[in-house]
Amino acid sequence: MTAPHRVAILIPCFNEEVAVATVVNDFRRALPAATIYVYDNNSTDRTCEVASQAGAVVRSEPRQGKGHVVRRMFGDVDADVYVLVDGDATYDATSAPAMIDALLNDRLDMVVGRRIEQQVTAYRLGHRTGNSLLTGFLSMTFGQNFKDVLSGYRVFSRRFVKSFPVLSDGFEIETELSVHALQLALPVAEIETPYFARPQGSISKLNTWKDGFRILGTIMKLYRSEKPLRFFGTIGLFFGIVSVGLAIPITVTYLETGLVPRLPTAVLSTGLMIVGVLSFSSGLVLDTVTRGRREIKLLAYLAQPSLPD
């Protein structure tokens, strides 16, 4: 099914000298007709040289961060089907044909390689926990349950790639890809793929605590930007409840005596209620803006031709 279509394999790399040749060779064997692109992101080792010797088309992105690299790749490369995979040799190249066939046969826009660990050291505990939190959040927010939101192994249609507005600059790009699909209710699927530990001598760029906090920050930002009415409405409701709680005894005293003996508390209650109303109003306005952004994204998606038969 993959022969009539132009397939591009996109490999973002940062100091992957040890693993990149393996990745290029494995994908060349799995998809011999595909064009393999390695985008180097300021590596200080021999990543570019090794990738070039392995037969990949090597290009560079000077702005540091995976999000910047993906933005550049999606803008530069023209193809019908795109395979995005990390250059650390942890993903299974032999799964790519099945993922592409699923994309074409079912006319999907994204197929995610759901990682199945083959070794205990393949998946860090902190990364697993963050993945579970983010996956649960997206399921709760958008009503569709991904099993592996942070997987770096994905296959896309041209429609998806050319309509996707890359905004993040780091590893949050995987989350952004999933949210784009969920926002527009695009047809997507997950396929289980083996997931291996890094080869000897290859060093992970992930930091459990730092990336964990970034995941939590990503969750809050996504909730604020994609569900603003719910986010700011909850804040407004909280301030409103506190305001009413403070106002009740003051009101009772006023009705009994005609006096307001605790003026500072009355002022505080009034201020909290104003803040609550403003928060709720902001949520209403931003919800309208979010709907407009979603419509623009959908129009950009529909403007792209579908996959050829």
Side-chain angles (χ1 to χ4, degrees), residues 126-127 129-131 133 171 206-219:
H127 196 65
T129 303
N131 195 10
L133 287 172
F171 86 104
L206 297 176
N207 180 290
T208 300
W209 288 105
K210 179 181 177 182
D211 292 339
F213 283 118
R214 290 180 68 182
I215 288 173
L216 291 175
T218 299
I219 289 174

Side-chain angles (χ1 to χ4, degrees), residues 183 224-226 228-229 281-297:
Q183 266 189 333
R224 182 191 64 198
S225 62
E226 304 306 329
L229 181 56
S281 301
S282 298
L284 285 174
V285 173
L286 291 173
D287 186 64
T288 303
V289 173
T290 299
R291 289 176 181 272
R293 284 174 43 233
R294 192 174 299 129
E295 290 174 1
I296 292 172
K297 289 180 181 180

